[in-house]
Structures are given as C-alpha cells and as structure tokens.
Amino acid sequence: MDFDLGEDANRLRGELRALIDAHVPADFLGAFTDDPADLAVAQQFCRTLAERQLLCMSWPREFGGGDASVWEQTVVREEMWAHHEPRGAQYMGVNWVGPIIMRYGTEEQQRKHLPPIANGEVIWCQGFSEPEAGSDLASLRTSARRVDDGWRINGQKIWTSYATMAQWCFLLARTSKGEKKQQGLTIFLVSMDDPAITVRPIRTMMGPHHLNEVFFDDLEVTEADVLGTVDEGWKIVQDVVSFERVGIARYARCERLLQAAPDVLGDAWDQLPAELRGRWTRMLTHCRRARLMAYRVVAMQATGRVNPGDSAAYRIAVTRLDQESAEVLMEIAAALPRGGDQRTEYFRAEVEDHWRYSQASTVSSGSIEMQRILLSRTMFAGAAR
C-alpha cells in the first residue's frame, strides 16, 4: 500500500531530517536520560523548529502556527518519534494541550498559554492518573472545593510524566458528585511553581523524568484557571485521549529500526533463523497497518470529528506493535558482535531503549484492556443503531 503523502510532505521530511542531522547529536537517545545535556539539546531544538514554524505547523497563525495541513503535522510527528523525539516533552503541548485550549479555552487562556507552546518555551504535564484511578480515571479522588476567591484543590496524582520539569499541569479534579462518576469533573490549568504542589520522582528503567508522584495540598486557583465548563470536564477528557493516543507516531520508530536491521547486520543477516526473519517481515506489515489506522484518526480529527472507537483500535494496534517489534529487534540485536563499530553500538542502544519503553506501552495513556472495552462498547453501540 502506498502511504506517500505527496511532494510537499517529502520535502518536509527532508528538511526535518537535515535539521536533526545538524542540531541533534548522532548518539541521541531522547531527552530524558541521566545526562542533563540531552534535555538541553531538546529544548534548543524546539526553539529551532519554532523559529521555522515547524513546531506547531497545523495550528492557526493567530495562535503561532503555520496554518499547515494536519498531514504536514503528521510528517513532523513521524520524523520526531522515529528519531527519539528530539522535541523532548513538547509533543504534549503541541499535540493535545494546545488544540484542547483552542477548542475549550477562553480568549484570555488562549493568549496566555498558546504562544509559549508554539515558541517551544514551556513544558506541560498531565494530572490524570491516581493511585486507585489509573485506567478507571473517572474514579479519581483529587477534589476541588469552591472558596470565596476560586477553588482549593487537594489530592494526589501518580505516573505523571515530566512533572519535575513542567511549568504547567493539565489537572483533572472532582468538583461535585453526580449520578455517574464521569459527572462532576473539571479541568484546571495549574502552575507547577506553586509551593502547595510537591513532586516526587519515581525511578524506573525508563530513566528520569518519565514517572512522578504529584501532591496537591490546599492548592488555591482562580476561576480563570478553569478550562471549559465546571463539572463537564469528562467531555474534554474524551477529546484529550483521542488526540493523545494518535499524537505519538510509535509505528515510525518501529519501522525505522526494523528497516535498519538488515543493513546494520550486513552478511550476518542471512545467518539469522528463517523464523526470526519471518517475524521481522510480519512486524513491518504491522507497522503499515498501524500507520493506516493512525491516518484514519488524523483524517477524522481534521474534520472536527473524533471517534473514540477508532482511537482505541489504533492504540491497541500500535502498543502491540511496540512490544512485539521490540522482542524481534532484541533477538536480532543479540546477533551483533560486541565491540562493533559506532553504528553497530548505537543501533544496539536504540533497540534496548525501544525495548525498555515498550514495556510500559500497554498501560500508559490508558491500558490496552480499557482500550478493548472502549472499542467493544463503540462497536456494540454502532450495531445497536
């Protein structure tokens, strides 16, 4: 199947790859390592992209974007993820925080938050999951209570990526009790430098910054910090997860690493077991499947429609691809000689990094079990109609 998006997209890919070659070190494995220099590289690269209006290409010009098509933004998304996301944590603000604020925010909120995102100057984190409300997000306990001059927030979030470096938090809290647990939830845009917020890193094999606990102890916010309508935050959450699940082009990194394997192994490729090479071929096919499913969701978002079932189906396919391709690549990398040249060692490091990240892919951004439930409900509702 031909996935060519046209000459403009091909030129854009060439431009992005040239910028990566010029501004990102050849051994870069992402911004979130033990070396602070890697984060500095990502922060500078974001500003480089922003100067060329490549960071938020599909945003309207009035918000600092380039009025480009969603397909050009998809090219950016694919090239960034394929090359270990040299934008660092900016993808969160670019892919869904900014678009959600455009859709639900006041003019004041848009003026305040969108230009810094478009300029690559701010990092956001997502205050959703809690110790007993991860996949079952609507069961969260963090509360926001009305006070004379606004709201007072108390509670705890967990598994919060980038909380140690973020300036702002997209926070979901309960503001009232409704007949259903999805009712009575509200989104707040919260500054992370408030002393009422405490962040505790959670060390994992994924490296620093990825996972944190965040505590809110009598955090006071104003009405101006409420996004959308009070008690109707669940509607916003549904849009957030649809944008978020397609916002990371995981298939692009899988495909690049799989395609690089025969060249890196050279003559040793033909010595691999036929069964392993067969699984390698199957993974390339699954990359194409995930890409097509992502493009379907992108096309729907371009028309202003979001189908949770399609987003869930894509998420299931791409997370399975993440883990299954990682296992195949680890077996292939095991055939590489130790102490090889720089390219060989970098490929091995890329594969190991991909494997570590893939271990969490079926639980991050909503577990694969919850995606299956969501997909089945959508299919059942469609059949009932």
Side-chain angles (χ1 to χ4, degrees), residues 272-305:
L272 293 178
E275 182 271 342
L276 178 55
R277 283 183 283 134
R279 288 163 56 207
W280 170 84
T281 303
R282 188 179 308 117
M283 288 302 101
L284 282 172
T285 304
H286 289 183
C287 285
R288 299 300 179 92
R289 178 181 65 183
R291 182 188 296 268
L292 180 61
M293 296 175 75
Y295 285 2
R296 174 179 172 83
V297 179
V298 170
M300 293 184 68
Q301 289 177 343
T303 66
R305 296 181 298 121

Side-chain angles (χ1 to χ4, degrees), residues 28-31 79-88 253 256-257 346 349-350 353-354:
F28 185 77
L29 287 175
E79 292 302 317
M80 294 303 103
W81 191 249
H83 295 89
H84 300 282
E85 192 51 90
R87 296 175 300 178
R253 185 180 303 175
R256 185 179 69 80
L257 291 174
Y346 179 56
E350 286 188 289
D353 178 76
H354 175 53

Side-chain angles (χ1 to χ4, degrees), residues 203-247:
R203 292 288 297 179
T204 71
M205 67 180 179
M206 295 170 65
H209 308 300
H210 274 286
L211 302 175
N212 304 274
E213 294 178 288
V214 185
F215 298 87
F216 304 90
D217 298 301
D218 288 333
L219 171 67
E220 295 189 359
V221 298
T222 68
E223 292 292 341
D225 299 315
V226 175
L227 181 69
T229 303
V230 171
D231 289 342
E232 296 183 11
W234 191 250
K235 178 182 177 182
I236 299 178
V237 169
Q238 289 179 305
D239 278 0
V240 166
V241 296
S242 293
F243 278 95
E244 180 186 23
R245 286 166 187 160
V246 76

Side-chain angles (χ1 to χ4, degrees), residues 30-44:
F32 313 118
T33 69
D34 291 312
D35 187 351
D38 290 326
L39 178 60
V41 166
Q43 295 296 87
Q44 180 57 51

Side-chain angles (χ1 to χ4, degrees), residues 70-321:
V70 293
W71 299 108
E72 289 172 286
Q73 189 69 52
T74 298
V75 170
V76 176
R77 183 182 299 148
E78 289 175 346
E79 292 302 317
M80 294 303 103
W81 191 249
H83 295 89
H84 300 282
E85 192 51 90
R87 296 175 300 178
Q90 292 294 338
Y91 73 86
M92 188 176 291
V94 172
N95 289 344
W96 66 262
V97 174
I100 291 296
I101 292 176
M102 289 180 211
R103 181 170 294 189
Y104 294 98
T106 64
E107 290 187 10
E108 179 185 354
Q109 289 171 334
Q110 291 170 353
R111 286 195 301 269
K112 180 177 182 178
H113 293 296
L114 295 179
I117 296 175
N119 293 331
E121 298 171 348
V122 64
I123 294 174
W124 284 75
C125 64
Q126 180 192 74
F128 278 15
S129 295
E130 297 186 7
E132 296 182 12
S135 297
D136 186 14
L137 179 58
S139 297
L140 62 82
R141 297 181 180 179
T142 295
S143 65
R145 182 170 58 87
R146 282 193 183 275
V147 293
D148 292 339
D149 54 350
W151 298 83
R152 182 171 293 130
I153 300 174
N154 284 278
Q156 176 190 358
K157 299 294 179 177
I158 199 168
W159 316 128
T160 307
S161 299
Y162 323 126
T164 54
M165 63 179 70
Q167 290 85 40
W168 288 90
C169 179
F170 195 94
L171 177 65
L172 182 65
R174 181 164 298 284
T175 44
S176 69
K177 290 186 177 180
E179 292 182 6
K180 297 181 178 180
K181 58 186 177 182
Q182 289 83 2
Q183 298 172 334
L185 300 173
T186 303
I187 298 289
F188 296 88
L189 307 178
V190 174
S191 173
M192 288 294 289
D193 63 3
D194 194 294
I197 300 176
T198 303
V199 179
R200 297 178 185 171
I202 301 173
R203 292 288 297 179
T204 71
M205 67 180 179
M206 295 170 65
H209 308 300
H210 274 286
L211 302 175
N212 304 274
E213 294 178 288
V214 185
F215 298 87
F216 304 90
D217 298 301
D218 288 333
L219 171 67
E220 295 189 359
V221 298
T222 68
E223 292 292 341
D225 299 315
V226 175
L227 181 69
T229 303
V230 171
D231 289 342
E232 296 183 11
W234 191 250
K235 178 182 177 182
I236 299 178
V237 169
Q238 289 179 305
D239 278 0
V240 166
V241 296
S242 293
F243 278 95
E244 180 186 23
R245 286 166 187 160
V246 76
I248 302 177
R250 298 173 185 270
Y251 56 84
R253 185 180 303 175
C254 296
E255 189 167 3
R256 185 179 69 80
L257 291 174
L258 288 163
Q259 290 181 338
D263 194 37
V264 173
L265 264 72
D267 294 340
W269 176 258
D270 293 330
Q271 305 305 314
L272 293 178
E275 182 271 342
L276 178 55
R277 283 183 283 134
R279 288 163 56 207
W280 170 84
T281 303
R282 188 179 308 117
M283 288 302 101
L284 282 172
T285 304
H286 289 183
C287 285
R288 299 300 179 92
R289 178 181 65 183
R291 182 188 296 268
L292 180 61
M293 296 175 75
Y295 285 2
R296 174 179 172 83
V297 179
V298 170
M300 293 184 68
Q301 289 177 343
T303 66
R305 296 181 298 121
V306 178
N307 186 332
D310 285 327
S311 297
Y314 164 72
R315 180 69 179 172
I316 293 167
V318 80
T319 52
R320 288 284 303 274
L321 169 65

